[in-house]
């Protein structure tokens, strides 16, 4: 099983990972050069928190082995895929109760800004053949994928 691993000491807050995530999940087929960063439908599934003094905290889904978000999900919209190890989200099953948001110990899951009727969460760029976009875009290599 693969996991995204973060070395926060290497993060310089450039947010390339967030832009790459937005580009990877956008609905149209445009390029990163015409990506509207203010459009709520292009929300990133990760975010970087600036703590001051050039210290940054990357907030990414850890696809936990014992995922509190999955345990809290009453509708079955969140499941732990035993084969891949990923915590997967089925928007069609989501009851918009946001128990997953309240139970994620890392603060990675959030309601979508546009409709507040679904969640925004990392899907490990499951439709891509290689590493997630955030990993490929990090110039400092603060984000990498490990086999666990």
């Amino acid at each position: 099983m693969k996991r995204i691993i973060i070395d926060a000491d290497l993060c310089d807050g450039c947010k390339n990972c967030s832009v790459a995530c937005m580009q990877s999940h956008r609905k149209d087929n445009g390029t990163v050069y015409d990506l509207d960063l203010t459009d709520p439908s292009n929300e990133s599934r990760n975010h970087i928190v600036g703590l001051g003094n050039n210290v940054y905290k990357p907030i990414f889904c850890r696809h936990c082995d014992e995922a509190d978000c999955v345990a809290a999900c009453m509708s079955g919209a969140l499941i732990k895929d035993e084969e891949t190890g990923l915590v997967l989200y089925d928007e069609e099953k989501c009851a918009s109760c946001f128990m997953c948001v309240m139970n994620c110990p890392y603060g990675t899951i959030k309601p979508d800004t546009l409709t507040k009727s679904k969640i925004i969460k990392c899907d490990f760029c499951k439709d891509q053949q290689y590493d997630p976009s955030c990993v490929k875009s990090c110039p400092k290599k603060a984000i990498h994928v490990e086999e666990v």
Side-chain angles (χ1 to χ4, degrees), residues 90-145:
D90 183 344
E91 184 180 328
E92 298 299 315
K93 291 182 179 178
C94 185
S96 304
C97 68
F98 303 123
M99 291 300 292
C100 57
V101 174
M102 292 182 269
N103 281 277
C104 175
Y106 302 105
T108 61
I109 302 174
K110 61 183 180 179
D112 75 298
T113 301
L114 195 59
T115 67
K116 304 243 187 297
S117 66
K118 61 182 179 178
I119 62 165
I120 300 294
K121 162 195 188 316
C122 172
D123 62 2
F124 213 79
C125 293
K126 64 180 170 34
D127 296 330
Q128 294 183 28
Q129 196 172 12
Y130 303 105
D131 286 341
S133 295
C134 59
V135 172
K136 293 186 285 189
S137 71
C138 183
K140 298 288 188 171
K141 305 296 183 215
I143 312 165
H144 64 278
V145 173

Side-chain angles (χ1 to χ4, degrees), residues 5 8 16 26 29 54 82 88 91 110 115 123 130 139:
I5 306 297
N16 280 1
R26 70 189 290 181
N29 291 325
N54 292 320
E82 296 303 323
L88 303 176
E91 184 180 328
K110 61 183 180 179
T115 67
D123 62 2
Y130 303 105

Side-chain angles (χ1 to χ4, degrees), residues 1-11 17 48 58-65 86 122 124 131-132 134-136 138 140-148:
M1 291 185 270
K2 294 181 176 183
R3 293 283 191 279
I4 294 175
I5 306 297
I6 308 293
D7 184 344
D9 292 335
L10 295 176
C11 180
C17 55
I48 308 296
I59 309 292
F60 283 71
C61 180
R62 288 164 170 80
H63 296 277
C64 303
D65 290 332
L86 300 178
C122 172
F124 213 79
D131 286 341
C134 59
V135 172
K136 293 186 285 189
C138 183
K140 298 288 188 171
K141 305 296 183 215
I143 312 165
H144 64 278
V145 173
E146 280 185 13
E147 195 73 37
V148 293

